[in-house]
Amino acid sequence: MGELKQRQTPHVFLILAALLLLASALTWLIPPGSYDRVLNEATGQTVVVPGSFAPAAPSPVAPWRLPRLLFDALSAGSTPNMIFFVLLLGGAFEIILESGAVAGLCTWVVYRFRHRQAWIIPAFVGVFSIFGFTMGLTTASIVFLPLGMAAAKSLGYDARTGMAMVMLGTNAGFAAGIYNPFSVGIAQTIAQLPLYSGAWLRWLLLAALVPATSLYLLHRAGRPAQAGESVLFPEPPRLHLRQILVLALLFGSLAVITCGVGTQSWGIPEIASIFLVLGILCGAVSGFGANQICVFWVAGCKKMVPGALTIGMAAGLRLVLLQGEILDSVIYGLLHLVEGLPPWTQLLGMFYANALLDLLITSGSGHAAVAMPLMVPLADALCLSRQSAVLAFQLGDGLVNLVSPISNTLVSCLALSGVSYPKWLNYFLPLVGIYLLIGTAFLLLAGVVGY
């Protein structure tokens, strides 16, 4: 494990900074060009006109211009909205975590299923998928890993099973991405799609990933060893009224957001307002004072600052490509590689390419920064829907997240559980194959239904 830690990836900011410098250099090397773009009044999107590519005057971006362009990207367009949305989301969930409602729910689940070992794994996977599809917080795996491992041990399973039912549950929710701000949120913002639109297919995806993950973990776990007397519960745990109210507020808010996005075309302002109110109400019903709520909120915002700044750097990367007039040139080159293929093959190509890219860029927001500025105009030029392009990115980013040895979340979980990286690959790779089949099936479905 020591050797694995030494090979950790540089910080995502360093990767994006290197990409910004690379983009600046490419503006001097790639012949500039551009497509004509028109406003689609029905959707409100600015779309590429296929076949309209033409050379443009050179407009290279010098490296010393990057700090100013980065500031412009952080302060203009839809980027500030997305950044403050993420901060509000982090504040609300910090209060929910501090209330003890999530930990109480997990402990209650373990106790309720202590004599039904076959159900404990699906229960854990389902509960922890909430972390992934609501706030994209895969690092929650690390926080609750000891609980999962203790639960698995008390029920007769090994530590690897305990690690997997927490970590893979969170990742299944992240990959489904129903309300994930760091993958779906950023990708849809870049694609000029209503935030969290198309959620119906992602709900179906969650309904496929959670059972598939649970069944696989049950298969690999086998029959549990004879469980001894559980040391987790000196007395039967129960959810307190305050915790029940917090959970009711959380799930009620998700239901309201689903309804609002689907029927009222809600965007970032409305959804952010829901989370603002959710955080305050959860703090109040938890018995926190006004000062405590403020302190927890600031703490949650601090945890989201890296993700928020990544969103800004993602916007900066796109701005460099646009000002250098090379974004469309890259799209034009890619178009010639794939335009002769059937449409469903083109979409699958986006999916598999993103799955490979995720081995190098494990941050969802960083991955979106690199991939989506290219995928959106490419989808327009290929007459593919932007929603399907977002789905291809989302699946490629999420389904192979825990393969790369440079994933900080994976390395931390392996170190905490004592499982070696080769043993983890032997355990997880067959499930990756299942995930890729599920992803392929959903992209084919998206093409059939015109998603």
Side-chain angles (χ1 to χ4, degrees):
M1 284 307 302
E3 181 184 355
L4 184 60
K5 287 184 179 180
Q6 293 174 3
R7 295 202 306 265
Q8 285 187 53
T9 183
H11 196 283
V12 65
F13 288 174
L14 295 178
I15 296 174
L16 289 175
L19 290 174
L20 282 167
L21 291 171
L22 176 61
S24 172
L26 291 177
T27 63
W28 296 82
L29 300 174
I30 296 177
S34 64
Y35 284 99
D36 292 334
R37 285 172 167 79
V38 297
L39 178 65
N40 185 328
E41 295 184 358
T43 62
Q45 299 171 353
T46 302
V47 298
V48 167
V49 178
S52 63
F53 182 83
S59 180
V61 176
W64 53 84
R65 291 179 55 198
L66 293 179
R68 172 59 190 272
L69 289 178
L70 184 58
F71 178 81
D72 290 342
L74 282 164
S75 57
S78 60
T79 303
N81 282 1
M82 194 67 196
I83 288 175
F84 280 100
F85 168 70
V86 167
L87 294 177
L88 288 174
L89 187 68
F93 272 91
E94 182 70 13
I95 292 171
I96 292 171
L97 291 175
E98 289 290 342
S99 73
V102 175
L105 176 61
C106 294
T107 306
W108 180 84
V109 167
V110 172
Y111 178 77
R112 292 291 296 177
F113 292 103
R114 68 194 186 282
H115 299 310
R116 300 181 180 89
Q117 287 92 340
W119 287 98
I120 190 66
I121 288 178
F124 254 71
V125 171
V127 168
F128 281 97
S129 71
I130 299 170
F131 282 105
F133 77 74
T134 54
M135 60 185 302
L137 191 60
T138 55
T139 51
S141 304
I142 303 171
V143 176
F144 289 98
L145 204 62
L147 174 63
M149 293 170 62
K153 182 179 180 180
S154 71
L155 296 169
Y157 292 117
D158 61 14
R160 186 174 59 178
T161 300
M163 177 188 75
M165 65 192 195
V166 173
M167 189 165 63
L168 295 185
T170 308
N171 191 68
F174 183 94
I178 302 166
Y179 303 117
N180 186 342
F182 296 114
S183 60
V184 172
I186 295 175
Q188 288 186 329
T189 299
I190 294 174
Q192 296 183 316
L193 293 169
L195 187 64
Y196 300 143
S197 56
W200 67 270
L201 188 61
R202 297 194 297 277
W203 278 112
L204 290 179
L205 179 61
L206 181 72
L209 290 177
V210 169
T213 303
S214 301
L215 290 172
Y216 179 80
L217 296 188
L218 284 168
H219 171 72
R220 290 302 300 260
R223 294 180 61 85
Q226 184 64 35
E229 187 68 25
S230 174
V231 298
L232 291 178
F233 312 109
E235 59 184 37
R238 65 186 182 89
L239 285 169
H240 302 293
L241 177 60
R242 292 183 185 275
Q243 295 173 332
I244 293 173
L245 290 175
V246 168
L247 293 172
L249 285 169
L250 171 61
F251 291 113
S253 297
L254 294 178
V256 170
I257 290 172
T258 301
C259 181
V261 170
T263 63
Q264 303 297 321
S265 300
W266 280 4
I268 290 177
E270 292 82 5
I271 299 172
S273 300
I274 292 293
F275 280 110
L276 175 60
V277 175
L278 172 65
I280 295 172
L281 290 179
C282 287
V285 302
S286 298
F288 299 149
N291 282 343
Q292 277 184 298
I293 293 175
C294 293
V295 169
F296 292 148
W297 203 293
V298 171
C301 290
K302 285 181 180 178
K303 293 179 180 179
M304 289 297 184
V305 166
L309 291 179
T310 300
I311 293 170
M313 296 186 75
L317 180 61
R318 183 173 185 272
L319 188 58
V320 171
L321 296 175
L322 285 173
Q323 292 212 356
E325 297 280 2
I326 66 168
L327 177 61
D328 287 357
S329 297
V330 174
I331 299 303
Y332 183 71
L334 292 174
L335 185 61
H336 278 284
L337 293 176
V338 300
E339 63 182 349
L341 300 174
W344 63 271
T345 306
Q346 297 162 353
L347 201 56
L348 291 179
M350 291 183 180
F351 167 42
Y352 298 135
N354 275 284
L356 291 174
L357 182 60
D358 194 62
L359 298 177
L360 301 175
I361 306 176
T362 58
S363 162
S365 49
H367 189 164
V370 175
M372 289 310 300
L374 299 176
M375 290 179 63
V376 171
L378 181 61
D380 290 345
L382 293 170
C383 298
L384 300 172
S385 77
R386 293 187 179 187
Q387 197 72 268
S388 294
V390 170
L391 181 65
F393 153 75
Q394 164 201 341
L395 291 172
D397 171 63
L399 295 180
V400 298
N401 247 339
L402 297 176
V403 170
S404 175
I406 61 176
S407 166
N408 288 330
T409 298
L410 174 60
V411 169
S412 300
C413 288
L414 292 180
L416 188 59
S417 64
V419 177
S420 69
Y421 180 67
K423 287 184 177 180
W424 171 251
L425 284 186
N426 177 265
Y427 183 86
F428 183 51
L429 284 180
L431 181 59
V432 172
I434 296 171
Y435 281 166
L436 292 177
L437 290 176
I438 292 174
T440 299
F442 269 82
L443 284 171
L444 293 177
L445 173 64
V448 169
V449 302
Y451 180 66

